[in-house]
Amino acid sequence: MPQLNPEFFVSQLFWLLITFSFLLVFLWRISLPRISSVLERRESKINNDIKIAKQLQTEAEEIQNQIELQLGEARQHMASLIKESELNFKNKATTELSKLDSELSNKIDESANIIENNKKKSLNQIHEQIYEITRLTLLKLSSMAVDKKEIKESIAKIELNNMN
């Protein structure tokens, strides 16, 4: 084996030193700076993205708080509008009911007056017809002429006797 031959040690050491030196310089000057710059850019991008995400999160939280406040205000406003509408409706319903009540009372009173007047008229007509029937009956039965005045007086006397 030529690698273990001592006369080739010096040349092998020389080439070993040159190769490792070249690799060391290549890695130290070219590859490692590129890798470190990529890592630094990556880290700065990640940090920048984290910073932006935090800012967006705080903005989102502020917007969420504003939305919740506006929703709360809208709910309160809606509740007050509902209460106000309910009160207005109750007031209108009460006034309408009182109007209807008074109109119905007036119509009932009018109807009662009309019924009473019709009753009086009907009774007067019945009395008139009774007087006429009585007069005609007396005329036919007794051939005696009796006027309405006499019949009315007789009936009034009978009614007074019945009441006492």
Side-chain angles (χ1 to χ4, degrees):
M1 269 187 22
Q3 293 95 348
L4 299 178
N5 190 354
E7 71 183 63
F8 294 114
F9 279 165
V10 174
S11 75
Q12 286 178 355
L13 279 175
F14 172 74
W15 286 113
L16 178 71
L17 279 173
I18 288 181
T19 305
F20 278 121
S21 303
F22 175 73
L23 278 174
L24 179 67
V25 168
F26 178 76
L27 287 174
W28 181 46
R29 291 285 183 190
I30 297 172
S31 294
L32 289 176
R34 286 183 184 173
I35 292 172
S36 68
S37 70
V38 168
L39 289 175
E40 286 175 6
R41 278 187 281 157
R42 183 177 173 209
E43 185 178 349
S44 69
K45 178 152 176 58
I46 289 172
N47 288 336
N48 190 24
D49 288 346
I50 289 173
K51 199 183 288 183
I52 290 172
K54 285 181 181 179
Q55 288 175 346
L56 290 175
Q57 183 181 8
T58 56
E59 288 177 11
E61 288 173 355
E62 288 175 6
I63 290 171
Q64 181 69 27
N65 290 337
Q66 289 175 354
I67 288 172
E68 287 176 4
L69 285 174
Q70 289 176 350
L71 281 174
E73 290 173 359
R75 284 185 186 124
Q76 289 175 349
H77 183 66
M78 181 180 58
S80 67
L81 284 177
I82 288 172
K83 286 181 183 177
E84 184 177 320
S85 297
E86 185 178 339
L87 287 174
N88 286 340
F89 179 73
K90 283 182 180 178
N91 290 339
K92 285 181 181 179
T94 304
T95 56
E96 289 295 321
L97 284 174
S98 64
K99 283 181 186 177
L100 286 174
D101 231 6
S102 65
E103 287 177 13
L104 285 175
S105 295
N106 290 340
K107 286 186 179 185
I108 288 172
D109 291 342
E110 287 175 16
S111 296
N113 289 337
I114 290 171
I115 289 171
E116 190 63 34
N117 288 337
N118 286 339
K119 182 180 167 186
K120 286 179 183 178
K121 284 180 186 177
S122 295
L123 285 174
N124 286 337
Q125 286 177 354
I126 290 172
H127 284 119
E128 289 297 320
Q129 288 176 356
I130 288 174
Y131 300 145
E132 187 62 28
I133 290 171
T134 306
R135 188 182 67 78
L136 287 174
T137 305
L138 286 174
L139 184 67
K140 290 266 182 190
L141 288 176
S142 67
S143 304
M144 185 169 83
V146 181
D147 65 345
K148 284 184 183 179
K149 202 174 193 184
E150 290 177 20
I151 296 172
K152 285 182 184 179
E153 289 173 0
S154 299
I155 291 175
K157 286 180 186 178
I158 293 172
E159 286 179 351
L160 280 175
N161 289 335
N162 285 338
M163 286 185 170
N164 292 332

